[in-house]
C-alpha cells in the first residue's frame, strides 16, 4: 500500500467526488429519517495543503484552489455549498494567512452533514492515515473509525438498520484487480441492500473504465465524469463517479454544476453527466 491521499487532496478528482458527495448528503438528509453513511476508503480525514505531501504535487492548485478563487456570481448552488463546507473546515484551524490551507476529506464532509441520530462508519487501511483519521475524530461519538478493509466492512454492515444509506467507495486503484473487487463488493452489498445509494469513484485511463461502466449497466447509475484534456502519461487526467440509486434531483444539480466547474478549471477541461434512470427514483426509494 503506497497510495497516500495527501499527495492528491483537493485535486480535480476530489472536486468531482466531493461536490457530488456534498449534494448527495444534502438531498439524503433533507428527509426526516435516519441515515447511515459508510465511507469504505476514507483516507486521513483532512489535509494540509501547505504540508509536505500536498506541496510536492501542487495538485490542489488546478483543483479546489482554482474554484475557491473563482467569482461567486453565477456559481451553481452545489458548488457554492461545497466551497462553503471546505471553507468551514479550513476555518477550524483559524484564519488562513492566504487562500485555502486545510482541505476536508470525504469523512469530514460527511461529518459536517450528519444530523443527530445519523450513523457514520469510516474505514481506512493504511496505518498512518488510519491513525490520522482516528485523531481527526477523537472523542466524536457520531463517527466510528475502523482501521479495516472497507470491502469487508461493506459486507458486514449491509443492510443498515436505518434502511436508508449512502456508501462511498473510493479505492486507490493500486491493485490490478481493484475494479473487479469493487464490482464484487457492490453486487454483494446490493443483494442485501438494493435501495441504498452507492457512489463509486473510478479513474479513466484505459479500457478498464469502459468495462467497469459496462458491468454496471443494469443498475443504470448516473455517471459523472471530469476530464482535464491533458492526457499526460503517468498522471491521472480523467475520472468518474458512478452513482447507483441517486436521490431525486441529484442529476439536475450535477448538470448545473459540472460544466461550470469544467469551464473554471481550464479551457481543455470537460465534464459530462450521463446515464441514470429515465424516471428518476423518488426520494423515498433512494435509501
Ligand atoms: N475517500 C477519501 C476522500 O475523498 O477524502 C480519499 C480516499 S483515497 C482515494 C483511498 C484510501 O483508501 C487511501 O487512504 C488508502 O490507504 C485506503 N485503502 C486502500 N485499500 C483499502 C481497503 N481495502 N480498505 C480501506 N481503505 C483502503
Amino acid at each position: 500500500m503506497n497510495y497516500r491521499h495527501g499527495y492528491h487532496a483537493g485535486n480535480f478528482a476530489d472536486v468531482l467526488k466531493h461536490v457530488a458527495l456534498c449534494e448527495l448528503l444534502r438531498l439524503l438528509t433533507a428527509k426526516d429519517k435516519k441515515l447511515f453513511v459508510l465511507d469504505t476508503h476514507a483516507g486521513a480525514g483532512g489535509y494540509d495543503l501547505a504540508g509536505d505531501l500536498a506541496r510536492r504535487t501542487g495538485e490542489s492548485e488546478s483543483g479546489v484552489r482554482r474554484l475557491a478563487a473563482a467569482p461567486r456570481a453565477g456559481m451553481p448552488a452545489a458548488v457554492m455549498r461545497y466551497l462553503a463546507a471546505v471553507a468551514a473546515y479550513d476555518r477550524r484551524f483559524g484564519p488562513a494567512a492566504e487562500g485555502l490551507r486545510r482541505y476536508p476529506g470525504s469523512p469530514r464532509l460527511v461529518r459536517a452533514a450528519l444530523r443527530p441520530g445519523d450513523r457514520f462508519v469510516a474505514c481506512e487501511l493504511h496505518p498512518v492515515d488510519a491513525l490520522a483519521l482516528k485523531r481527526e475524530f477523537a472523542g466524536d461519538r457520531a463517527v466510528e473509525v475502523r482501521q479495516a478493509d472497507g470491502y469487508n466492512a461493506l459486507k458486514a454492515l449491509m443492510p443498515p438498520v436505518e434502511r436508508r444509506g449512502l456508501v462511498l467507495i473510493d479505492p486507490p486503484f493500486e491493485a490490478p484487480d481493484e475494479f473487479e473487487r469493487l464490482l464484487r463488493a457492490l453486487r454483494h452489498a446490493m443483494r442485501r441492500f438494493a435501495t441504498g445509494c452507492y457512489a463509486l469513484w473510478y479513474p479513466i485511463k484505459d479500457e478498464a473504465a469502459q468495462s467497469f461502466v459496462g458491468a454496471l449497466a443494469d443498475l443504470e447509475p448516473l455517471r459523472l465524469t471530469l476530464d482535464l484534456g491533458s492526457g499526460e502519461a503517468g498522471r491521472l487526467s480523467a475520472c468518474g463517479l458512478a452513482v447507483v440509486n441517486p436521490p431525486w434531483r441529484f442529476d439536475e444539480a450535477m448538470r448545473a454544476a459540472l460544466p461550470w466547474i469544467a469551464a473554471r478549471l481550464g479551457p481543455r477541461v470537460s465534464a459530462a453527466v450521463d446515464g441514470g434512470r429515465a424516471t428518476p427514483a423518488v426520494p423515498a426509494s433512494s435509501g
Side-chain angles (χ1 to χ4, degrees), residues 1 3 17-18 40-43 105-106 124-126 148-150 170 172:
M1 283 180 65
Y3 182 93
K17 175 181 40 183
H18 292 161
T40 58
H41 296 70
S106 50
E124 170 55 46
L125 207 48
H126 194 290
D149 182 311
D170 181 23

